[in-house]
Amino acid sequence: MTAPTIDTVALESGVRSYSRNWPAVFSRAVGSTVWDENGTPYLDFFAGAGALNYGHNHPRLKEVVLDYFASDQLVHSLDMFTTARGDFLQTFSEMILKPRGLDHRVAFPGPGGANAVEAALKLARKVTGRESIVNFTNAFHGMTLGALSVTGNSLKRGGAGIPLVHATPMPYDDYFDGDVPDFMYFERMLGDSGSGLNHPAAVIVEAVQGEGGINAARAEWLRALADLCKRYDILLILDDIQMGCGRTGGFFSFEEAGIVPDIICLSKSISGYGMPMALTLVRPELDIWEPGEHNGTFRGFSPAFATAAEAIRTFWADDTLERSTQAKGAHVESRFNQLVAKYPEHELIGKGRGLARGLQFGTAELAGQVCAAAYERGLLMETSGPEDEVMKILPPLTLTDDELNRGLRIIDESVDAVLGRS
Amino acid sequence: MTAPTIDTVALESGVRSYSRNWPAVFSRAVGSTVWDENGTPYLDFFAGAGALNYGHNHPRLKEVVLDYFASDQLVHSLDMFTTARGDFLQTFSEMILKPRGLDHRVAFPGPGGANAVEAALKLARKVTGRESIVNFTNAFHGMTLGALSVTGNSLKRGGAGIPLVHATPMPYDDYFDGDVPDFMYFERMLGDSGSGLNHPAAVIVEAVQGEGGINAARAEWLRALADLCKRYDILLILDDIQMGCGRTGGFFSFEEAGIVPDIICLSKSISGYGMPMALTLVRPELDIWEPGEHNGTFRGFSPAFATAAEAIRTFWADDTLERSTQAKGAHVESRFNQLVAKYPEHELIGKGRGLARGLQFGTAELAGQVCAAAYERGLLMETSGPEDEVMKILPPLTLTDDELNRGLRIIDESVDAVLGRS
Amino acid sequence: MTAPTIDTVALESGVRSYSRNWPAVFSRAVGSTVWDENGTPYLDFFAGAGALNYGHNHPRLKEVVLDYFASDQLVHSLDMFTTARGDFLQTFSEMILKPRGLDHRVAFPGPGGANAVEAALKLARKVTGRESIVNFTNAFHGMTLGALSVTGNSLKRGGAGIPLVHATPMPYDDYFDGDVPDFMYFERMLGDSGSGLNHPAAVIVEAVQGEGGINAARAEWLRALADLCKRYDILLILDDIQMGCGRTGGFFSFEEAGIVPDIICLSKSISGYGMPMALTLVRPELDIWEPGEHNGTFRGFSPAFATAAEAIRTFWADDTLERSTQAKGAHVESRFNQLVAKYPEHELIGKGRGLARGLQFGTAELAGQVCAAAYERGLLMETSGPEDEVMKILPPLTLTDDELNRGLRIIDESVDAVLGRS
Amino acid sequence: MTAPTIDTVALESGVRSYSRNWPAVFSRAVGSTVWDENGTPYLDFFAGAGALNYGHNHPRLKEVVLDYFASDQLVHSLDMFTTARGDFLQTFSEMILKPRGLDHRVAFPGPGGANAVEAALKLARKVTGRESIVNFTNAFHGMTLGALSVTGNSLKRGGAGIPLVHATPMPYDDYFDGDVPDFMYFERMLGDSGSGLNHPAAVIVEAVQGEGGINAARAEWLRALADLCKRYDILLILDDIQMGCGRTGGFFSFEEAGIVPDIICLSKSISGYGMPMALTLVRPELDIWEPGEHNGTFRGFSPAFATAAEAIRTFWADDTLERSTQAKGAHVESRFNQLVAKYPEHELIGKGRGLARGLQFGTAELAGQVCAAAYERGLLMETSGPEDEVMKILPPLTLTDDELNRGLRIIDESVDAVLGRS
């Protein structure tokens, strides 16, 4: 595990973060494994922070990408029609949207998740003529100014350098440990014309908060939220950037709840191959943009469209992946519960849904030590949560049972090493 | 020139724009030529809005990208150390920064130009503790909320749905046709404690405004701006997203002026292959970010680093490309001047620097008709400017003299067809 | 009860409101009685919306004001030293501040309550370097932009014409009918670095919300709020504009709770004679303003200082007024409770503290009809609350028992007339 | 000239300013003279910063005010109809508005000038549905958040504690010493859809800037501004708070230019007696406020209405005062010109119109020394301008020729004393 020469580090801004915890120089990756320059393998339970749901360099997608580049198809196409774009649109529509009863139109807002969120917020404001957005405690939606204003993390908010306005945070599901009826505060404020809450254009929500600490909202909470939005004429934006593309089981994380968001943000794993791509899906009646009113240079990175279409064909033709993810998720849950039971004095909390799983420790220090111990043992995973107190795993959905068990064993060992029992 | 099936169009948001003027479905591209699905070739004087300075699918870079993907190197790596990242940093430092006397640190702000701008604005505000930014008339910096607030175009600004604040536009070079001393207004306001102009954190500027209508600032204007910033303790952000990477001749568009911006934004052609990548370069003493204070999922799209490094080695080892670009640019200039002379009653104006060139018509209608006539003749180019009154060409820097002349002939014919003379 | 000639009405903006419900032209007023131009008397349970706590044209203060004007003392003095200003400062300090253990410095922020609030918000932001303010549901603090941003009423907020930002409303005391622990939401958000709540510069609160519907916070709620502010390093601004000067019994409405606000806003009855005057009281260590950093033309309206000083000497040399207000308030409370008991099916709610009293009806219509019925019977009172569903009385503290009972009888009759029983 | 006891000073906030330059305790004032507690007289060329255009305690108005209070008329009446209010409205309409061809409706926005400005800005935004306001360099419009955002002075702006947004400053008349065509910058920006200037709801302007340094706009500049506003569908707000009520000759400062502003702000001298009062005059078609959408406790301070009506009858029945003000103004101008000629090396500049006059020095220090020297000689006047470099006089319009000459002699002596010649 060698770090790069000091020269290279000195060339880069101090804003870099992952390389501080994982000083290895990585060079190759297949499936759930990453190798550093010395050939040391790491089992990857991080998966590009959710951008690699189908693992690294999946062989079928690799064929597609090699073929795409080899045949000199368009790499960069903005919003011109291309063969790859048309194929993606048809595949996405036929295999993802229609079977789920969705008739949303697809906008290509730019290459990353923040673009999808920015476009969603802009459109919601344009449609409603209102400015305010309601977000939730511990939400994460991105680092550009609009996306950051609806993000909770105070370090990241502080980086804006200007007051972040137009957003009011409401308590996420279970924020008060069940002591308070859902949406009591939010609905009371909406129904009171003297509350001082600006009538929101939209609510933006994650069905499972990843960066916020692997907080999974209950299906009934999401349904109640969708209902609330309808009653108060507020658009519902579902940010499925990290939790979509099968992370929680179904393609969309909100399927289980049976709701239909007005606007859906997708990115991260949508290309299936870790390539920059994002979508903003909008209900047809909301699609009132002028041509070019929102645009962006890399909104048409077409190799990503090619792998995205193929990934859909490969993984979403039937429910095999969905059922596998649920089964693996249940397995992780039971293993985490064993750790919770093993260390009652530490009041660990198992969290999550599907293969978005977390184990909450009492302090950031403990969670960080466990991740460091796992790294020493060849497992990549990171922390999340407001204080980084949650050990978070987002393994490739395609990992084998053996890989899953190997990773869980390393987690057990790492927790034992840190909490002092074996 | 067939349009896609109506079904595919109906699946997409009405925000799409290029496909309205160019209804062909493109499928393949090499160098300066793009082919549609029927095999019809188009000469590309658009080049991905400046993202394809080295043409489509350059053979040397194609080898690199194929090799990269074939060898299962990391596609998605956030800010982890990777072999490709280290190679890019060293190459960029040794071959681009050092020879130009720059010691900036490299931040990877996300996959697109707007990310580079958002990061620049955030850092400038953090460093200075001030909020206001001075931008310029007809600036274009991107579509996310922070970048949009410093962009001039009113259609795009209107899309924000909230009042865009914290930015004050100042007149760009030659905004008053030389009738007013440079920066008279700006400097008077800065020097007057009662002017009502908030002391800016930073000025953000393009050395040549592309979207704004191919407005090229004079070197002395840029120098005076840099000097003004220094005297008033304002950071200078140079947005070289569209005009960098050799578009105007030198690697950076500001080299000719001999200035050293505090922060430099790069994107578009930096990968050399049309792949999403962006950089924010910051003077070392400004690099005060906390680790992770700005981040983003696709800030480490490593195949782009590989082609970026190879593009630098291929095109920037000596001044061949720079001299070629200047020569070709001079050639375009003289040909445009002939059109200006040919149609005195239309008061055409030739604009630009290097291979960023424009021909301004009296109306958007004329400019649009010329572009449409060129498209019919197999040439891709678009309009820009506040009213889309400027015919704009950004051909690949690597196009052959023959291609250049062929394109210029089509332009001649198209202008003649529209303005009614031959 | 004649309305003015149509001509006069037509000259005035449609923004006028009180004259719509009380179309009489008033010409004379003494104590608790107002007469219209025809000599018809009205018993005044409105008292200038709390600006006439000592009644109209109190004879002792009338002597002072006549003497002041007759002797050609300064009417308009900005912040120059004047005899009247010095006398007021000493009297206020000796008889109001010191006996209550307060060492606040007195700023004269302008002639009205909104000025006092604007100055408070500006200073809190300057002291803390933060921008956000926490206000409460159904707060009312004024109509200038800063004051309006912390006001709850949506009609009034809508009048701003720009998004009102930098304020986050929190639930006022008893907002959830006691179902939720006090400050559960607020404190949870403050303690969670990922909540998305900007760390506030200050909390602004009324001890009794007048415009919000005569909502009286409990003493323990105010103490818990003061404690919360201290623990989280947030300044506490107490807006005592309507509820100060004895309205709830003690001179300050927060005395009963035993708290010491960082900043106190006073206006309305501070002059004792209905004259424009306002104060912003600040703890000495917060008084970091530059000379002239906040100013205003009418901040030194000196006749108001003269009556203000005399009002203090007249009413606050002992606790006679305070005890009388409490006794009268208790009497009103018991009479309102009788109405509540008489009409159980209407679920009336008696509200308030001291002589700030309200009777909440099920609808704005009923409350308005009761006020109209009372006006027909010669009693002035208005509604408040988010939907104007609360009949609100703020009688002069100096009214006689006979006047109080006469007014309460009219209220009884009016309620009976509207609710249909006698 | 004794200062007050130290105790009184210590009770007050350090934000006080005038009492720092004029440490006397003032106790009585008649016409143009103020006496301190020791009986020392001061000739008042300050006149309440323009709030005392008819001098202190004018005998005719004094009768009215004494009579008003003695007869127990209403002091505080919000927007109820009162005899005094009706009389004022009729008098103002008949004697001020109609003769000048104005049909504006009168709103009573609160007791001070800032209220008039806040109401104007709110209404302009509501009417147009836009947020941005264009103000001018060195404008002063007040200290509440909305008014402050359109004010130029950086010390006062800094006091806001939040970024002041939604306003863009444009150069006032002669800002570039005549080198640039009027409104070149503003109109170019308005006409350019890519300029980045948000389309403004309104322009707010003073015909003569008092706090900004006694800058008098030319009539043709004001006409061109009014024309520009009309062409670009922007409302014109004329802030006549300090320069109205005859200060420049005519009742309104804009009469000379022959323009009709959409909204006019009046305050300061409108009561005629130094009492808090303000008006927002709006063209009838703009009067779209909901009842109560803007309000305020002291918007109906009726004694001020009584003196305001009487002041109009006393001073505006014919053009005597207007001609006198012009004559006196011309006299001051010629005397200031003599000083300019006497000290050519100091490059003094005489400024102003009517009896709003300034003498600009090279530095704030010199201007301040001259004012201090004048104070020692019994003359009150203050400085203004961005650096306080302008000696500013706003004498009562009613001062006698003898008083005027006496004051001018003191000014001569003071200038001589400071500049070192006699």
Side-chain angles (χ1 to χ4, degrees), chain C residues 74-303:
Chain C
L74 274 81
V75 172
H76 182 277
S77 61
L78 291 135
D79 62 12
M80 297 182 266
F81 297 132
T82 65
T83 313
R85 180 192 198 83
D87 181 40
F88 168 74
L89 281 168
Q90 283 190 330
T91 307
F92 187 72
S93 170
E94 293 300 324
M95 297 183 67
I96 300 295
L97 294 181
K98 282 194 191 163
R100 288 162 182 82
L102 303 173
D103 64 350
H104 291 58
R105 289 214 185 123
V106 178
F108 297 91
N115 303 101
V117 170
E118 293 269 343
L121 297 178
K122 286 162 73 171
L123 185 61
R125 285 161 166 157
K126 181 181 168 78
V127 166
T128 62
R130 301 177 218 134
E131 301 89 4
S132 287
I133 306 291
V134 160
N135 61 338
F136 288 99
T137 51
N138 289 295
F140 182 89
H141 299 291
M143 299 300 283
T144 51
L145 198 52
L148 190 54
S149 71
V150 289
T151 288
N153 186 286
S154 57
L155 167 68
K156 298 194 191 310
R157 288 176 73 82
I162 51 172
L164 294 174
V165 296
H166 300 304
T168 305
M170 289 286 160
Y172 194 69
D173 189 18
D174 202 36
Y175 198 61
F176 302 113
D177 305 320
D179 289 350
V180 175
D182 297 341
F183 304 108
M184 185 189 65
Y185 182 67
F186 189 9
E187 183 145 23
R188 180 81 175 80
M189 300 278 277
L190 283 173
D192 175 2
S193 73
S195 70
L197 180 72
N198 298 327
H199 189 186
V203 163
I204 185 164
V205 68
E206 304 153 277
V208 180
Q209 296 182 324
E211 301 307 311
I214 307 292
N215 309 313
R218 290 160 301 138
E220 59 263 38
W221 186 86
L222 289 170
R223 277 192 294 272
L225 176 61
D227 178 60
L228 186 79
C229 287
K230 214 157 277 165
R231 276 184 287 121
Y232 286 94
D233 184 29
I234 302 168
L235 296 179
L236 179 60
I237 303 172
L238 199 307
D239 178 342
D240 226 7
I241 290 169
Q242 191 173 59
M243 293 299 152
C245 305
R247 173 54 58 192
T248 64
F251 184 84
F252 294 111
S253 66
F254 57 82
E255 290 175 32
E256 190 177 318
I259 62 172
V260 179
D262 296 295
I263 304 179
I264 303 163
C265 300
L266 282 178
S267 182
K268 290 203 183 257
S269 280
I270 184 66
S271 84
Y273 209 71
M275 298 206 286
M277 178 173 169
L279 303 178
T280 303
L281 312 178
V282 303
R283 289 209 346 260
E285 60 270 37
L286 306 178
D287 185 34
I288 62 168
W289 267 312
E290 296 292 314
E293 196 173 358
H294 179 87
N295 63 20
T297 295
F298 292 115
R299 67 191 185 279
F301 179 50
S302 297

Side-chain angles (χ1 to χ4, degrees), chain D residues 104-170:
Chain D
H104 291 57
R105 289 213 186 124
V106 178
F108 297 92
N115 303 101
V117 170
E118 294 269 345
L121 297 177
K122 285 163 74 170
L123 185 61
R125 285 162 166 157
K126 181 181 168 80
V127 166
T128 61
R130 300 176 220 135
E131 300 89 4
S132 286
I133 306 290
V134 160
N135 60 337
F136 288 99
T137 50
N138 289 295
F140 182 89
H141 298 291
M143 300 300 283
T144 52
L145 197 52
L148 190 54
S149 71
V150 290
T151 289
N153 186 287
S154 56
L155 167 67
K156 297 193 192 310
R157 289 176 72 81
I162 52 173
L164 294 174
V165 297
H166 300 303
T168 306
M170 289 286 160

Side-chain angles (χ1 to χ4, degrees), chain B residues 40-123:
Chain B
T40 309
Y42 295 83
L43 186 58
D44 186 359
F45 273 29
F46 168 65
L52 294 163
N53 281 2
Y54 314 126
H56 293 268
N57 299 320
H58 187 278
R60 176 66 203 116
L61 304 180
K62 178 177 168 180
E63 279 176 47
V64 166
V65 82
L66 285 173
D67 187 56
Y68 194 90
F69 282 106
S71 58
D72 287 325
Q73 294 190 58
L74 275 79
V75 173
H76 182 277
S77 61
L78 292 135
D79 61 13
M80 296 182 267
F81 297 133
T82 65
T83 313
R85 180 192 199 85
D87 181 41
F88 168 75
L89 281 167
Q90 283 189 333
T91 307
F92 187 73
S93 171
E94 292 302 323
M95 298 185 65
I96 300 295
L97 294 181
K98 283 194 190 162
R100 289 162 181 82
L102 303 173
D103 64 349
H104 292 57
R105 291 214 185 123
V106 177
F108 298 91
N115 303 101
V117 170
E118 294 269 343
L121 297 177
K122 286 163 73 171
L123 185 61

Side-chain angles (χ1 to χ4, degrees), chain C residues 3-5 7-20 22-30 34-35 37 46 48-49 51-52 56-57 62 65-66 69-76 78-83 85-86 89-90 93 104-108 111-115 118 121-123 125-126 130-131 140 143-146 148 155-156 158-163 166 267-268 273-277 282 287 289-299 301 380, chain D residues 3-5 7-20 22-30 34-35 37 46 48-49 51-52 56-57 62 65-66 69-76 78-83 85-86 89-90 93 104-108 111-115 118 121-123 125-126 130-131 140 143-146 148 155-156 158-163 166 267-268 273-277 282 287 289-299 301 380:
Chain C
T5 64
D7 276 357
T8 309
V9 170
L11 299 174
E12 196 175 343
S13 163
V15 78
R16 69 190 173 80
S17 56
Y18 287 105
S19 54
R20 296 173 189 271
W22 304 335
V25 181
F26 298 102
S27 65
R28 212 167 66 83
V30 176
V34 190
W35 289 267
E37 288 190 324
F46 167 66
L52 295 163
H56 293 268
N57 299 320
K62 177 176 170 180
V65 81
L66 286 172
F69 282 107
S71 58
D72 287 325
Q73 294 190 57
L74 274 81
V75 172
H76 182 277
L78 291 135
D79 62 12
M80 297 182 266
F81 297 132
T82 65
T83 313
R85 180 192 198 83
L89 281 168
Q90 283 190 330
S93 170
H104 291 58
R105 289 214 185 123
V106 178
F108 297 91
N115 303 101
E118 293 269 343
L121 297 178
K122 286 162 73 171
L123 185 61
R125 285 161 166 157
K126 181 181 168 78
R130 301 177 218 134
E131 301 89 4
F140 182 89
M143 299 300 283
T144 51
L145 198 52
L148 190 54
L155 167 68
K156 298 194 191 310
I162 51 172
H166 300 304
S267 182
K268 290 203 183 257
Y273 209 71
M275 298 206 286
M277 178 173 169
V282 303
D287 185 34
W289 267 312
E290 296 292 314
E293 196 173 358
H294 179 87
N295 63 20
T297 295
F298 292 115
R299 67 191 185 279
F301 179 50
L380 302 181
Chain D
T5 63
D7 277 355
T8 309
V9 169
L11 300 173
E12 197 175 340
S13 163
V15 79
R16 68 190 174 79
S17 56
Y18 287 105
S19 53
R20 296 172 188 272
W22 305 335
V25 180
F26 298 104
S27 65
R28 212 166 65 83
V30 176
V34 190
W35 289 267
E37 287 189 325
F46 167 66
L52 294 163
H56 293 268
N57 299 321
K62 178 177 170 179
V65 81
L66 285 172
F69 282 107
S71 58
D72 286 326
Q73 293 189 58
L74 275 80
V75 171
H76 181 277
L78 292 137
D79 61 12
M80 297 182 265
F81 297 133
T82 65
T83 313
R85 180 191 198 84
L89 281 168
Q90 283 190 332
S93 171
H104 291 57
R105 289 213 186 124
V106 178
F108 297 92
N115 303 101
E118 294 269 345
L121 297 177
K122 285 163 74 170
L123 185 61
R125 285 162 166 157
K126 181 181 168 80
R130 300 176 220 135
E131 300 89 4
F140 182 89
M143 300 300 283
T144 52
L145 197 52
L148 190 54
L155 167 67
K156 297 193 192 310
I162 52 173
H166 300 303
S267 183
K268 289 202 182 256
Y273 211 70
M275 299 206 285
M277 178 174 169
V282 302
D287 185 35
W289 266 311
E290 296 292 316
E293 195 172 359
H294 179 87
N295 63 20
T297 295
F298 292 115
R299 67 193 185 277
F301 179 51
L380 301 181

Side-chain angles (χ1 to χ4, degrees), chain B residues 191-383:
Chain B
D192 176 2
S193 73
S195 70
L197 180 72
N198 299 327
H199 190 186
V203 164
I204 184 164
V205 69
E206 301 153 278
V208 179
Q209 295 182 325
E211 301 306 310
I214 307 291
N215 309 312
R218 290 161 300 140
E220 58 263 38
W221 187 86
L222 289 170
R223 277 191 294 273
L225 176 62
D227 178 61
L228 186 79
C229 287
K230 214 157 275 163
R231 276 185 286 120
Y232 287 94
D233 183 28
I234 301 168
L235 296 179
L236 180 60
I237 302 172
L238 200 307
D239 178 342
D240 226 6
I241 291 169
Q242 191 171 60
M243 293 299 153
C245 305
R247 174 54 58 190
T248 66
F251 184 84
F252 294 112
S253 66
F254 58 82
E255 288 175 33
E256 190 178 318
I259 61 173
V260 178
D262 296 296
I263 304 180
I264 303 163
C265 301
L266 282 178
S267 184
K268 290 204 184 256
S269 280
I270 184 65
S271 84
Y273 210 70
M275 297 207 284
M277 178 175 169
L279 303 177
T280 303
L281 311 178
V282 303
R283 289 208 348 260
E285 59 270 37
L286 306 178
D287 185 34
I288 63 168
W289 266 313
E290 297 291 317
E293 194 172 1
H294 179 87
N295 62 20
T297 295
F298 292 114
R299 68 192 185 279
F301 179 51
S302 299
F305 300 163
T307 54
E310 186 65 16
I312 291 170
R313 285 188 287 263
T314 304
F315 296 107
W316 297 101
D318 60 31
D319 65 355
T320 309
L321 181 67
E322 178 169 355
R323 282 186 296 112
S324 154
T325 299
Q326 284 162 349
K328 285 171 180 155
H331 182 54
V332 175
E333 185 172 19
S334 79
R335 292 287 294 269
F336 279 12
N337 283 343
Q338 291 172 20
L339 284 170
V340 170
K342 185 174 185 181
Y343 294 99
E345 73 280 19
H346 280 285
E347 300 185 343
L348 306 182
I349 303 174
K351 308 173 79 174
R353 187 151 67 85
L355 273 172
R357 291 288 166 180
L359 188 61
Q360 182 174 319
F361 289 81
T363 66
E365 201 185 4
L366 288 177
Q369 287 171 348
V370 169
C371 288
Y375 177 72
E376 291 299 318
R377 288 162 176 79
L379 179 69
L380 301 180
M381 60 179 181
E382 67 166 339
T383 57

Side-chain angles (χ1 to χ4, degrees), chain D residues 208-293:
Chain D
V208 180
Q209 295 181 325
E211 300 308 310
I214 307 291
N215 308 313
R218 290 159 302 137
E220 58 263 37
W221 186 86
L222 289 171
R223 278 192 295 272
L225 176 60
D227 178 60
L228 186 80
C229 286
K230 214 157 274 164
R231 276 184 287 119
Y232 286 95
D233 183 29
I234 301 167
L235 296 179
L236 180 60
I237 303 172
L238 199 307
D239 178 341
D240 227 7
I241 290 169
Q242 190 172 60
M243 292 299 152
C245 305
R247 173 55 58 191
T248 66
F251 184 84
F252 294 111
S253 65
F254 58 81
E255 289 176 31
E256 191 178 317
I259 61 172
V260 178
D262 295 296
I263 305 180
I264 303 163
C265 301
L266 283 177
S267 183
K268 289 202 182 256
S269 280
I270 185 65
S271 85
Y273 211 70
M275 299 206 285
M277 178 174 169
L279 302 178
T280 303
L281 311 177
V282 302
R283 288 205 351 257
E285 60 271 36
L286 306 178
D287 185 35
I288 62 168
W289 266 311
E290 296 292 316
E293 195 172 359

Side-chain angles (χ1 to χ4, degrees), chain A residues 11-15 17-18 26 29 62 72 79 81 85 106 118 122 143 145 156 268 287 292-293 297, chain B residues 11-15 17-18 26 29 70 72 79 81 85 106 118 122 143 145 156 268 287 292-293 297:
Chain A
L11 299 174
E12 196 176 341
S13 164
V15 78
S17 56
Y18 287 104
F26 298 103
K62 179 177 169 180
D72 287 326
D79 60 13
F81 297 132
R85 180 193 199 83
V106 177
E118 294 269 343
K122 286 163 73 170
M143 299 301 284
L145 198 51
K156 298 193 190 311
K268 289 204 183 253
D287 185 34
E293 195 172 0
T297 294
Chain B
L11 300 174
E12 194 176 342
S13 164
V15 79
S17 56
Y18 286 105
F26 298 103
D72 287 325
D79 61 13
F81 297 133
R85 180 192 199 85
V106 177
E118 294 269 343
K122 286 163 73 171
M143 299 300 283
L145 198 52
K156 298 195 190 308
K268 290 204 184 256
D287 185 34
E293 194 172 1
T297 295

